[in-house]
Every structure is written in structure tokens, then in C-alpha cells.
Amino acid sequence: MGEALVDSYGRTVRDLRISVTDRCNFRCQYCMPEEGMVWLPRTDILTFEEIERVARVCVERFGVDSIRLTGGEPTVRAHLPTLVAKLAALRVGGDPDGRGVDLAMTTNGASLRLMARDLHDAGLRRLNISCDSLQRERFLAITKRDALDAVLDGIDAALAAGLDPVKLNCVLMRGINDDEIVDFARFGRERGVQVRFIEFMPLDASDEWSANRVVPGAEIVAAIDAVYPLAAVEGRGSQPADRYRYRDGAGEIGVIASVSEPFCGACDRIRLTAEGQLRNCLFAVDETDLRPLLRGGGSDDELAAAIIGNVGRKWAGHSINQVTFIRPARSMSQIGG
Ligand code: SF4
């Protein structure tokens, strides 16, 4: 293995988030508009071989040991288990006998009934399923899809396929679904899935985000603790979520308070967009186009140098709460969670 990927703040990159498509079969209001999304031409989208190459350089040369597949909605990309198998075959540090990457995916869950087993057999290990309401009508209003049943079936299919852990990602929006906090906690306790509550971030394509629509992490914890007493779990490390366990032993919750309690100081993530742009931060305002190297005969050394250069320009963190904050030109579906 070569040297680790360390930014100018001393943070080591260990987690590569890969968007495999900008397309999605949902239209979640905190992500994309109901109509009018312009998709990337298919020729712009990285092939599985190109994705594997970038991942291989990161994993084998720089010791990146965690990969998360995202989108848009990754399950709308055809033959996804083929890509999963390619990535699952990578060995951290390039040692053939070395350990594999920790392979996870974030999905809206609607297609898991059909795919969970194949994804698991191909090497996927962990899953986060997005679900922002347990009420059918409200789910429809938020996602513009009448698919709550399919998502709930998807959770069961993921658990049955042996994906572990299966977590539920719930983006809370003031006045939209913040009255379901305890319902989600109860759901997670009963289904044996960890619910992760996510603060609404300014990455919605319709630019409707405002600070007063954010439900702060502290408020989420207080609401649950009042019904199901919680205890903080120590040792967050570089993980985005603060974890809390139920004092009665019925599992855990996670809270991703990126707006009210930023955690950039320990960030270990970089992102690859569906069309090959490397982003050193979810909110980055600049990015590195890897496609010319991937499609123009660039060497792995040149690819590695471009990745090092990008990481070297990583800022201390987002500035959402500051006047200097500049919304990225991309929405969440064009970056990947
Ligand atoms: S906002 Fe950027 S720097 Fe902060 S945790 Fe997220 S990706 Fe890392």
C-alpha cells in the first residue's frame, strides 16, 4: 500500500461514496422536483470498469476501506450486483490475502424485494434504507410515489437476505414529518432496525431549504428520550451519526446533525459522482473531473495524483450556518448521500 490519503487538516480518507446514477424512481421533496429533472446522458455515466478502477486506486493504494454506493437511486442502475461483486473483490492495501472493503449502500428500498438476495450474495454487507414517513398518504406526498408498502417489504427482504445492519434513514423536516419521531423510534425497536434521523440539509433541487425547517438533533433526542430513555454511545470516530442506545436494551438510534452540530473535524469521506467528478466534501463548490484520465489513457499514477490533489484542497468543513455559505451547484441526487 502507498501512503494514506490525508488532507491539510490531518484527516485521513477511509470512506469512498460512489454515485452509480443520477436517476431515481422517487421524487423526494428534499432532493428533487416532481418534474423537470434533466438526466445525464448515459454516455457520461461511468462504466462499471471505470468505477472499479477509481475504487481500486483508492482501496489498494490509499487504504480506503469503506465504500458506499449511492445515487440518485442505485437500484435503478442495471446489473448492479455485477458492480457490487467487482468492488467486493477489492483488497485493502492491495494485499491479495488482505481484508475486503466494508461495502454498503443507501437506497429508497422500493426494489429490495427483488434484489436484496442478489446484492447480498454479490458481496454487499450493509444497507441504509431511506423512509421519511410511516403514513401512506404522507409518504406519497413526500416522495410522489405510493410506495410505502414496497419499502416496508424491502426492509424485511434485506433482513431476510442477511444484510446487517439494516438502518433506516429518515430526513426530518419541520412541519412535514417531525411529529413522527417517536413513531419511527417505536418502528425501529419493533423491527430490529436502527433508525438514523437526519437533519434537513441545503441540497434540495427546489432551493426551499431554510434553517427554520431543520429539526435539530438535540430536539430529536429529547423527544425520544421522553418516551424511551436513551444513553449516549461513546466513540463516534469519523462516523456521521451520533449514536444513542435505549436504556432498556431495545437497540439504538443515530442522529446526523450536520447543520446544528457539524462533524467535519473528523470527516473521512470523499465522493465520486455518477459522471466521474471527485468531490472532497458533500458541499464542495469545486470538483475534479476524472473522466479525461479514465477515458484518455491516463495511468493509475496520474489518477492517484489527481485524487491526492483533490483531497489536498479539502476545506475544514461546510459553512452552512455562516454568511459565507455557498450552496453547491448540484442537488443531493447529483452528488449521492
Ligand atoms: S460537510 Fe463535508 S467536510 Fe463536513 S462532514 Fe460532510 S463531507 Fe465532511
Side-chain angles (χ1 to χ4, degrees):
M1 180 172 93
E3 74 281 20
L5 257 182
V6 183
D7 67 30
S8 60
Y9 296 89
R11 298 167 296 189
T12 300
V13 174
R14 291 195 180 81
D15 186 351
L16 172 64
R17 311 255 164 135
I18 302 175
S19 169
V20 300
T21 180
D22 63 327
R23 296 171 188 236
C24 185
N25 47 1
F26 281 17
R27 294 291 180 278
C28 302
Q29 64 183 78
Y30 55 79
C31 183
M32 60 169 80
E34 187 167 358
E35 305 292 343
M37 279 302 283
V38 179
W39 307 127
L40 290 165
R42 292 194 189 283
T43 49
D44 285 9
I45 302 286
L46 294 189
T47 64
F48 286 172
E49 290 68 27
E50 290 167 335
I51 292 173
E52 181 196 15
R53 190 169 166 214
V54 175
R56 183 170 41 74
V57 169
C58 289
V59 171
E60 296 186 352
R61 285 211 187 194
F62 300 127
V64 164
D65 59 13
S66 172
I67 290 178
R68 176 174 293 277
L69 299 178
T70 67
E73 169 51 37
T75 58
V76 304
R77 176 98 189 232
H79 313 300
L80 187 62
T82 303
L83 175 63
V84 169
K86 285 177 182 292
L87 299 175
L90 297 174
R91 288 290 166 265
V92 177
D95 171 2
D97 304 321
R99 63 196 164 94
V101 290
D102 175 15
L103 200 45
M105 184 172 81
T106 302
T107 170
N108 64 29
S111 309
L112 285 176
R113 265 180 308 184
L114 310 170
M115 302 179 72
R117 175 77 50 198
D118 291 347
L119 290 167
H120 177 267
D121 295 350
L124 190 70
R125 287 296 162 261
R126 299 187 291 123
L127 207 58
N128 291 55
I129 301 170
S130 304
C131 182
D132 308 302
S133 180
L134 297 170
Q135 302 170 10
R136 186 173 174 191
E137 290 307 316
R138 185 180 286 171
F139 185 98
L140 172 59
I142 293 173
T143 65
K144 309 301 180 287
R145 299 291 183 270
D146 187 9
L148 178 58
D149 291 345
V151 172
L152 297 179
D153 289 350
I155 295 169
D156 293 339
L159 291 166
L163 288 151
D164 179 30
V166 172
K167 300 178 182 177
L168 212 61
N169 283 1
C170 173
V171 176
L172 285 173
M173 297 162 282
R174 178 83 67 200
I176 303 285
N177 59 351
D178 53 335
D179 60 352
E180 291 188 66
I181 294 172
V182 175
D183 296 341
F184 269 105
R186 184 176 306 111
F187 178 88
R189 290 165 58 91
E190 291 168 359
R191 291 282 186 117
V193 293
Q194 185 195 111
V195 179
R196 292 158 36 113
F197 297 94
I198 303 174
E199 290 183 351
F200 183 23
M201 293 181 280
L203 288 168
D204 57 316
S206 34
D207 200 359
E208 288 168 7
W209 182 90
S210 63
N212 58 18
R213 298 187 61 193
V214 174
V215 182
E219 183 180 327
I220 299 166
V221 173
I224 297 170
D225 187 56
V227 181
Y228 303 113
L230 295 166
V233 176
E234 300 307 319
R236 171 195 195 145
S238 63
Q239 293 306 307
D242 266 324
R243 293 162 52 207
Y244 299 84
R245 62 176 176 77
Y246 292 111
R247 288 183 185 279
D248 65 3
E252 289 187 11
I253 62 159
V255 175
I256 300 181
S258 41
V259 178
S260 67
E261 299 162 49
F263 39 82
C264 304
C267 180
D268 67 349
R269 293 168 289 285
I270 57 175
R271 290 173 166 82
L272 181 68
T273 69
E275 77 277 31
Q277 309 296 316
L278 193 67
R279 299 174 59 81
N280 54 34
C281 170
L282 182 58
F283 294 94
V285 288
D286 70 347
E287 47 200 26
T288 302
D289 188 353
L290 298 180
R291 253 181 333 182
L293 289 172
L294 290 167
R295 297 182 176 181
S299 68
D300 283 358
D301 288 344
E302 290 169 310
L303 208 50
I307 295 169
I308 291 169
N310 178 276
V311 170
R313 293 189 295 279
K314 183 167 182 166
W315 53 23
H318 71 65
S319 54
I320 294 174
N321 305 316
Q322 293 148 47
V323 288
T324 54
F325 177 63
I326 302 169
R327 276 183 71 112
R330 295 170 178 270
S331 65
M332 179 61 100
S333 67
Q334 298 162 324
I335 300 171

